[in-house]
Amino acid sequence: MSKDRASTSAKLSRRGLLVGAAASPLAAIALPAAAETRPSEPVDHVNLNMEVPFYGSGGQAGVETPPQRYIHFMTFDLTTVNPRDLQVLLARWSAAIAQMAKGETIGQVEPAREHGIGFDTGEALDLGPASLTVTVGLGPEVFSERLGLAAMKPQFLRELEHLPSDAFLPQFTGGDLSLQACADDPQVAYHAIRDLARIAKDTGAASTRWTVMGFGRASAGRNQATPRNLLGYKDGTRNIAEPEDFDRFVWTRDDPVWGGMGSYQVARKIKMHIENWDVDRVSDQNNVFGRFKVSGAPLTGTDEFDTPDFGKTDAEGNHVIPRTSHISLAAHENNDGIKILRRSYNYTEGINEVGLLSAGLLFISYQNDPAHFERLQQRLGAADRLNEYISHIGSAIFFVPPAPEEGHYIGQQMFG
Amino acid sequence: MTRTLTSKMPLPLAVALAGFLGAGAALAEEAPVENGASQVAITLTGDDGGSCVLDYDSAKAGPVTFSVTNETATALTEVELLNENRILGEKENLAPGLPTVSFTVTLGGGDYQVYCPGAGTEQVAFAVTGAPAPKPTGGVTAILAEGTEGYGNYVDGMVDAMVTAVDRLKADIDAGDLDKAKEDYAAARPFYERIESDVEGFIMPGFDVTSNEGNLDYLIDMRESNLDPAVGWHGFHAIERDLFGKGEITDETKDMAAELQTNVTHLAEVAKGLDFMPEDLANGAASLLEEVQSGKISGEEEAFSHYDLVDFAGNVEGAEQAFAFLQPGMEEIDPELTKQVNDQFAKVKVLLEDYRDPNAPGGYVIYTAELRASDAAKLSRAIQSLQEPLSTIAEKVATAQ
């Protein structure tokens, strides 16, 4: 844009509007390189026979595990004030998850008794384990006085503070328990949630609250190529991958008192204004993210993994990566070094009530202090150019306890 | 007597006679030239549900000054001079009792229309005799450049009108007149909506670009769904909440109205005289349609007053104006696309007609939950069909030789 005559004379700056023209020639240069695959870039193979063990001595599976292709995420409300009911639920969930992760059923599918009702619903038979993980989270209300578990509360577990641009719909918000089922086959993930929800009903401890089915993992794990969100951009390039960063940013150490190697899970349902995005010019799209669309390279580079140069300015003194672009606001360099693990998925659920595609991102992050998420979203919610095309419509927070050893169950230490 | 006489009279004489009789009817006589410009008076009255009357319906090519007086028309608040859908000049915020206002435009020979939205007869033909306006020379880029200049004038007119409308809203609020404030809120909204894509994004001196504290768009037009708790709620929609949600004017409302007046005045200062490139017009039109999709059709924009259709029409008008000023150039570049976009604009406008209500604040029916449930998908689809072809224009005009 070149319409800043008046703004210059009035000593006003315009948010990022001036960068489009400067970025276009760069795009032309960067595009040819984009088509080439880097020799070191990992190639993803899906093996539906892979198993991810549920039991262990570290963090729960489904956090550090490289993201599978599909997710079914569901939250639950507690329907009991008796801690014993919750204990039974967590124990039965744990045993069931361990079996399903091995590709086994959790009970009879077709009972021999004429009037018998199948315990396992059966739709995952013959599909293999497909790297299924189910990660269990505990919401703030689990540790309220009414269940007598207040003393067991993880140090930082609380509702998230109100953040800029939060526009929640109550039906996509909150929950006392969460289940994050991920697998390389969508039906395997669906089956896991469906059968675990049956167990919740059976114990009388919890009922379903809100859910999202997702596809096309939208963030990369170790040795995975960076995937794309529904806006067509690689948005997980600088995700946490190294074990040192997991120790530093993801896993809790002495929190809660009953066991470290937990993590705080933040889940946000983010609606995307798909139709508007699709008719936005590519130079603007690139400026919104701060990256080139095809290559994923930062606007100051040519390769996806080039380190963004947030200080670089063009001839007119404008930042080449706009300061209100998504990557600039989210970058650890600009946030006192803070990093969070992102483990997000794309979702779609048809057409909404006003005739627009209903789709977006199920954003899930893990961090050892929810304030780290708040710190980043504070800035993103206030100034991110992407906010024109997205709305945060759902939100919930959970504590993910460590994985249980075999013969034990998730959260067992809480019950004394 | 009159009937017999006029039937035998040559037509020009009959019309001239009618003029002498003081009937105020239009004359087939050219407007007199004074101070180097043809002088045309436009009078708005409440007759026939609102009418707009010209004292002369033609002028010589060259500068023409239109002086607009609203005598008794409470429902008519604006007058526009149109040529092929472009607004060449206009006056808004007209009301009985206000002083006469005028605008001057230089016109080439051809057919024009004086448009008075809401009048019994909305369009009055106006002819200019003499040489047509010279076509710009130097090819498409020159034609486009002329369009951007015309569009710049349009934006200047809008920011002026916005300041006036906000002044009036503030006066209502200061006077504690809730009903009038609600009406004038509706009257003030469209100006911002028509040019939003040109005036959003200004940061006041001394503020960081990532902070909303100095972001004029935030301070003027932020909705509840995008609030920044650190900065709080300001501007039109915070006032809307008080007027329509709480149904009262408090000291805080008065403070917010004063702040809004300061901020729109500041915005008008910096927005005036912006230079536009052809692609700015195209991109601006596209982002106004994005605004329709993301805020109006969902009913999110006017969550308390439900005046969303007023804003909807404002966004569409702003987009249409931006396109209209590109159109002469676009005819050269891609006539087929031009026709396609025009057809889609026409469809959207026909659709909007169904929601017009001259007696409603802002001129459109209230966007109720029921109306949204029954009509939102239809409105959204019409906008989508316009968004797709319109989005391809920026590149065409930016790369035109």
Side-chain angles (χ1 to χ4, degrees):
Chain A
M1 291 239 181
S2 57
K3 51 179 173 177
D4 64 326
R5 190 186 73 195
S7 58
T8 307
S9 62
K11 294 202 170 53
L12 288 193
S13 58
R14 302 205 68 181
R15 261 191 184 176
L17 287 179
L18 310 169
V19 191
S24 307
L26 280 177
I29 297 165
L31 277 173
E36 299 164 18
T37 307
R38 294 167 71 247
S40 60
E41 193 162 288
V43 181
D44 295 343
H45 293 290
V46 169
N47 177 353
L48 295 176
N49 293 315
M50 291 281 285
E51 288 177 28
V52 181
F54 171 71
Y55 293 115
S57 56
Q60 270 193 66
V63 179
E64 198 163 351
T65 312
Q68 303 91 323
R69 294 288 170 104
Y70 301 92
I71 189 171
H72 192 172
F73 180 85
M74 189 177 277
T75 81
F76 297 81
D77 287 326
L78 282 174
T79 50
T80 179
V81 291
N82 184 348
R84 294 298 147 213
D85 292 341
L86 177 61
Q87 193 176 6
V88 169
L89 175 62
L90 290 174
R92 287 184 60 184
W93 269 0
S94 298
I97 294 167
Q99 280 173 281
M100 291 190 285
K102 288 191 257 181
E104 297 168 3
T105 60
I106 59 167
Q108 288 180 322
V109 173
E110 188 178 358
R113 312 176 311 279
E114 192 185 345
H115 299 289
I117 292 171
F119 194 80
D120 188 301
T121 51
E123 75 274 24
L125 274 177
D126 314 321
L127 289 177
S131 298
L132 174 73
T133 58
V134 183
T135 310
V136 181
L138 309 173
E141 279 297 300
V142 167
F143 303 97
S144 65
E145 292 294 341
R146 62 193 176 122
L147 267 82
L149 295 172
M152 299 294 158
K153 192 171 89 68
Q155 189 182 348
F156 300 121
L157 187 60
R158 56 175 167 80
E159 295 298 338
L160 289 168
E161 62 183 60
H162 181 73
L163 295 163
S165 294
D166 282 354
F168 302 141
L169 302 172
Q171 65 268 32
F172 303 129
T173 304
D176 300 327
L177 300 166
S178 72
L179 293 177
Q180 172 202 275
C182 298
D184 283 322
D185 182 303
Q187 190 145 322
V188 169
Y190 181 82
H191 167 258
I193 292 296
R194 176 176 170 186
D195 281 19
L196 294 170
R198 284 185 83 198
I199 292 174
K201 273 181 280 187
D202 192 38
T203 59
S207 62
T208 57
R209 185 177 174 99
W210 62 279
T211 188
V212 174
M213 286 198 74
F215 61 95
R217 61 183 177 80
S219 47
R222 197 172 162 80
N223 298 323
Q224 286 184 326
T226 315
R228 294 178 188 275
N229 58 27
L230 291 185
L231 304 180
Y233 277 77
K234 296 184 173 222
D235 186 27
T237 298
R238 312 186 82 207
N239 207 4
I240 285 180
E242 302 305 322
E244 311 82 76
D245 272 351
F246 273 92
D247 288 342
R248 189 162 160 215
F249 296 107
V250 177
W251 302 122
T252 60
R253 202 170 299 275
D254 306 313
D255 173 36
V257 287
W258 43 273
M261 289 304 277
S263 191
Y264 293 87
Q265 175 193 61
V266 170
R268 310 275 280 191
K269 187 173 184 183
I270 303 174
K271 177 173 94 175
M272 290 175 170
H273 306 300
I274 299 275
E275 285 83 353
N276 280 348
W277 179 259
D278 291 346
V279 293
D280 189 29
R281 57 201 182 279
V282 73
S283 58
D284 190 61
Q285 292 187 344
N286 286 349
N287 282 329
V288 165
F289 274 96
R291 292 187 180 278
F292 293 110
K293 194 166 193 175
V294 173
S295 66
L299 296 181
T300 52
T302 53
D303 181 275
E304 182 193 340
F305 294 96
D306 287 347
T307 303
D309 180 355
F310 296 111
K312 188 171 177 181
T313 53
D314 63 17
E316 280 149 26
N318 300 304
H319 286 83
V320 175
I321 298 174
R323 290 185 57 209
T324 50
S325 66
H326 191 63
I327 66 163
S328 179
L329 290 165
H332 58 87
E333 291 93 334
N334 300 330
N335 290 287
D336 296 336
I338 286 174
K339 296 180 184 178
I340 59 176
L341 172 70
R342 287 157 292 158
R343 210 174 185 288
S344 304
Y345 287 82
N346 304 316
Y347 76 82
T348 177
E349 49 193 16
I351 290 171
N352 72 11
E353 68 285 0
V354 298
L356 296 166
L357 292 174
S358 184
L361 186 76
L362 173 63
F363 172 94
I364 297 179
S365 70
Y366 291 93
Q367 49 274 305
N368 50 25
D369 184 347
H372 295 171
F373 167 79
E374 287 167 339
R375 161 74 195 254
L376 298 178
Q377 184 54 29
Q378 188 81 47
R379 302 189 70 222
L380 289 164
D384 190 356
R385 297 187 64 189
L386 188 56
N387 292 341
E388 204 175 325
Y389 296 99
I390 63 172
S391 301
H392 284 239
I393 57 172
S395 178
I397 180 169
F398 303 92
F399 178 76
V400 168
E405 299 275 7
E406 196 156 3
H408 298 270
Y409 61 89
I410 284 172
Q412 186 170 348
Q413 305 92 318
M414 297 193 301
F415 299 98
Chain B
M1 181 198 85
T2 320
R3 189 179 300 159
T4 326
L5 269 179
T6 37
S7 67
K8 289 178 179 172
M9 226 186 275
L11 190 61
L13 180 57
V15 177
L17 187 58
F20 284 124
L21 292 171
L27 303 181
E29 190 182 309
E30 278 187 352
V33 177
E34 282 168 33
N35 304 323
S38 300
Q39 301 292 327
V40 179
I42 303 174
T43 306
L44 311 185
T45 72
D47 303 346
D48 307 323
S51 73
C52 91
V53 180
L54 277 60
D55 63 346
Y56 297 97
D57 62 5
S58 73
K60 279 191 189 49
V64 184
T65 298
F66 293 90
S67 300
V68 190
T69 310
N70 187 344
E71 285 183 351
T72 54
T74 47
L76 303 187
T77 58
E78 59 181 306
V79 169
E80 298 171 0
L81 180 73
L82 302 178
N83 174 241
E84 290 169 355
N85 286 329
R86 286 174 299 166
I87 300 175
L88 302 174
E90 67 181 323
K91 280 293 161 189
E92 308 253 8
N93 300 310
L94 305 167
L98 293 181
T100 299
V101 290
S102 61
F103 61 96
T104 302
V105 277
T106 301
L107 303 176
D111 295 327
Y112 297 81
Q113 299 83 41
V114 172
Y115 175 51
C116 303
T121 303
E122 290 193 321
Q123 293 213 359
V124 181
F126 185 79
V128 174
T129 56
K135 289 268 176 218
T137 51
V140 173
T141 48
I143 301 175
L144 288 171
E146 187 165 296
T148 60
E149 211 166 293
Y151 180 73
N153 293 336
Y154 169 76
V155 172
D156 289 355
M158 284 302 118
V159 293
D160 275 345
M162 174 168 64
V163 171
T164 309
V166 169
D167 288 349
R168 193 169 301 164
L169 173 63
K170 178 182 178 290
D172 301 338
I173 289 171
D174 286 345
D177 190 337
L178 185 63
D179 289 340
K180 201 153 173 302
K182 285 179 170 180
E183 250 178 62
D184 282 333
Y185 173 82
R189 289 294 298 151
F191 303 110
Y192 196 77
E193 296 298 319
R194 287 175 199 154
I195 53 167
E196 189 170 3
S197 54
D198 303 309
V199 299
E200 66 188 2
F202 284 113
I203 305 291
M204 289 195 281
F207 289 93
D208 189 272
V209 293
T210 65
S211 156
N212 288 317
E213 276 173 75
N215 175 355
L216 276 180
D217 182 55
Y218 182 95
L219 296 173
I220 291 171
D221 195 37
M222 193 40 58
R223 303 190 293 265
E224 190 177 21
S225 53
N226 289 102
L227 282 193
D228 185 341
V231 184
W233 206 354
H234 305 257
F236 275 119
H237 294 300
I239 292 171
E240 182 205 356
R241 170 201 53 188
D242 285 8
L243 299 182
F244 298 86
K246 297 181 183 167
E248 60 174 357
I249 292 171
T250 63
D251 286 347
E252 199 198 349
T253 322
K254 291 178 184 174
D255 291 347
M256 289 191 300
E259 185 194 41
L260 178 66
Q261 185 186 45
T262 306
N263 285 330
V264 297
T265 307
H266 192 178
L267 183 68
E269 285 162 14
V270 296
K272 270 191 151 185
L274 284 174
D275 286 334
F276 295 100
M277 301 287 283
E279 57 269 33
D280 296 336
L281 273 59
N283 290 329
S287 30
L288 288 176
L289 297 180
E290 289 182 8
E291 293 289 329
V292 174
Q293 288 290 24
S294 59
K296 279 72 176 184
I297 285 172
S298 59
E300 192 178 312
E301 182 82 31
E302 303 287 352
F304 302 93
S305 68
H306 309 298
Y307 289 161
D308 303 273
L309 291 171
V310 177
D311 294 351
F312 185 125
N315 285 155
V316 170
E317 185 194 308
E320 191 191 18
Q321 283 307 303
F323 177 71
F325 282 100
L326 290 176
Q327 184 164 335
M330 276 302 296
E331 300 275 12
E332 307 283 320
I333 299 167
D334 189 340
E336 206 158 303
L337 177 61
T338 308
K339 186 179 176 310
Q340 199 186 348
V341 170
N342 267 328
D343 289 350
Q344 294 298 346
F345 265 120
K347 279 185 192 160
V348 170
K349 283 164 68 186
V350 166
L351 190 58
L352 264 174
E353 277 303 310
D354 293 343
Y355 306 95
R356 283 279 283 268
D357 176 0
N359 299 319
Y364 286 88
V365 299
I366 297 292
Y367 196 47
T368 59
E370 298 76 50
L371 185 58
R372 195 167 70 221
S374 59
D375 289 28
K378 181 172 72 177
L379 290 165
S380 170
R381 290 201 176 97
I383 293 293
Q384 284 178 51
S385 303
L386 177 55
Q387 273 185 302
E388 286 290 342
L390 190 71
S391 66
T392 60
I393 287 178
E395 183 166 21
K396 289 183 185 281
V397 296
T399 55
Q401 298 291 317

